[in-house]
Amino acid sequence: MENNKEYKKHMRAVEKNGFNLNQVPEEFITQEMCNIAMFQEGMNGAIIQFIPNEFRTKEICEASMKGYGEFLSEVPKKLRTAEMCEIAVNYAGFMLKYVPEELKTYELCLIAVNDGSWVLEYVPEKYKTMELCEIAVKDSGYNLKYVPLELRTKELCDLAINGFGVLILVPEELRTPELCKVAIDYNGMALEFVPTEFRTEQLCEQAVTQNPYALQFVPSEHRGIEMCELALNHVDYDFKDEFLESYVPEAFQEEVLNDLDIETPKKIVERGR
């Protein structure tokens, strides 16, 4: 009797406002209550978030998707239809992540990638065409990591490097001196992925100027006092001591300190005693 009274109280609250379902203890939620919440005039698809899985019927899921594609992830996988998935992806490309593999089409993937390039990650391999990959990489070179190796052509890699410097994602055989130079222009740390034979003194200078921490990837034959000083000149004052001790060869530290008129760190002073 008491439970029936409590149930009626919660039902009245839901009838008044469907979102009150969020406040109903799970043991009092019924299919009827969920239907009232979802199909109430003025309600929207967000209600599905508060409906227990066992009450998410085909009708409730379809209603939740009308104009609110963002809730595809709340629809049980077995109830996700092609129509629902199309609504969701047109609402936001990243919803492709929640589309069952068997319902993904090239057209749907194209819509998704045009809306959010990183969604290429969720495109099935069979739909990763050069057209699709180019759209994604043009928007962000980092998407090259989702491109099949056989499609990482010189042209696509050039596209990825320009503006992003993601040399790590470029097949080694395509890492030409010219491409490496462009990569270093955008990201000095890309020096780590430059083939050793291409790490010239000039390229290393370019790298440490862009990012002084690239000094750690400079070959020893180029890591002389001048290179160390060039790098240290591009380090913020507060971090110069730490940089000096971590990246400048011990044999050069005192000379670099003197040349750049930097106060000798306590650790170096103690080491010299």
Side-chain angles (χ1 to χ4, degrees):
M1 186 70 176
E2 187 64 33
N3 278 352
N4 188 47
K5 185 178 178 182
E6 189 74 9
Y7 172 77
K8 287 181 178 179
K9 182 187 80 172
H10 291 307
M11 180 64 90
R12 285 194 298 273
V14 170
E15 287 173 341
K16 186 176 180 181
N17 187 321
F19 279 106
N20 285 330
L21 185 66
N22 186 36
Q23 305 300 320
V24 179
E26 197 167 330
E27 63 266 26
F28 291 108
I29 297 178
T30 63
Q31 187 68 65
E32 181 186 10
M33 192 180 287
C34 292
N35 290 342
I36 288 173
M38 176 57 75
F39 298 109
Q40 194 175 102
E41 187 177 352
M43 287 299 101
N44 62 52
I47 288 288
I48 196 172
Q49 300 173 91
F50 312 124
I51 296 177
N53 282 333
E54 62 266 30
F55 299 132
R56 295 183 186 182
T57 62
K58 178 176 180 289
E59 293 72 25
I60 281 179
C61 291
E62 287 176 344
S64 75
M65 292 297 297
K66 289 181 179 176
Y68 290 90
E70 63 185 299
F71 299 113
L72 181 64
S73 59
E74 301 290 344
V75 175
K77 288 183 180 180
K78 64 181 180 181
L79 295 179
R80 295 177 194 175
T81 65
E83 184 183 7
M84 286 182 190
C85 294
E86 188 174 344
I87 290 171
V89 172
N90 273 293
Y91 176 83
F94 74 87
M95 297 306 295
L96 185 69
K97 176 180 180 179
Y98 304 107
V99 174
E101 291 298 304
E102 66 273 14
L103 294 180
K104 290 179 181 177
T105 64
Y106 180 76
E107 291 70 26
L108 201 62
C109 293
L110 186 59
I111 291 171
V113 171
N114 269 307
D115 184 64
S117 62
W118 60 271
V119 179
L120 185 65
E121 177 181 1
Y122 302 108
V123 173
E125 293 296 304
K126 63 181 178 181
Y127 294 139
K128 289 184 179 178
T129 62
M130 183 57 78
E131 176 193 19
L132 210 60
C133 293
E134 189 172 314
I135 291 171
V137 171
K138 189 178 290 185
D139 183 62
S140 171
Y142 293 98
N143 288 322
L144 191 62
K145 63 182 172 182
Y146 304 125
V147 175
L149 285 174
E150 65 271 17
L151 292 182
R152 296 188 194 182
T153 62
K154 178 183 182 302
E155 292 71 27
L156 199 63
C157 290
D158 285 349
L159 203 59
I161 290 297
N162 276 287
F164 301 97
V166 286
L167 194 60
I168 185 177
L169 302 175
V170 176
E172 288 194 25
E173 64 272 17
L174 295 179
R175 297 179 193 176
T176 62
E178 295 75 20
L179 196 67
C180 291
K181 185 178 185 304
V182 174
I184 295 297
D185 275 338
Y186 292 104
N187 180 10
M189 295 296 281
L191 186 65
E192 178 181 4
F193 308 105
V194 173
T196 306
E197 63 270 25
F198 299 152
R199 297 187 197 183
T200 62
E201 185 172 6
Q202 185 179 5
L203 190 68
C204 290
E205 287 176 353
Q206 180 185 335
V208 300
T209 298
Q210 203 284 328
N211 189 324
Y213 290 89
L215 183 65
Q216 61 191 297
F217 305 120
V218 174
S220 56
E221 65 267 25
H222 299 317
R223 203 186 309 174
I225 290 176
E226 289 184 4
M227 187 71 71
C228 293
E229 290 179 354
L230 177 63
L232 199 58
N233 273 325
H234 289 85
V235 176
D236 288 342
Y237 181 81
D238 291 341
F239 300 102
K240 284 187 186 293
D241 287 358
E242 181 185 343
F243 183 89
L244 184 77
E245 294 172 32
S246 301
Y247 302 107
V248 175
E250 187 176 321
F252 302 150
Q253 288 181 3
E254 288 196 31
E255 188 169 346
V256 168
L257 284 170
N258 293 331
D259 288 349
L260 298 183
D261 194 25
I262 300 173
E263 185 177 342
T264 307
K266 185 178 178 181
K267 284 185 181 178
I268 294 179
V269 172
E270 291 176 347
R271 192 173 64 213
R273 288 175 179 172

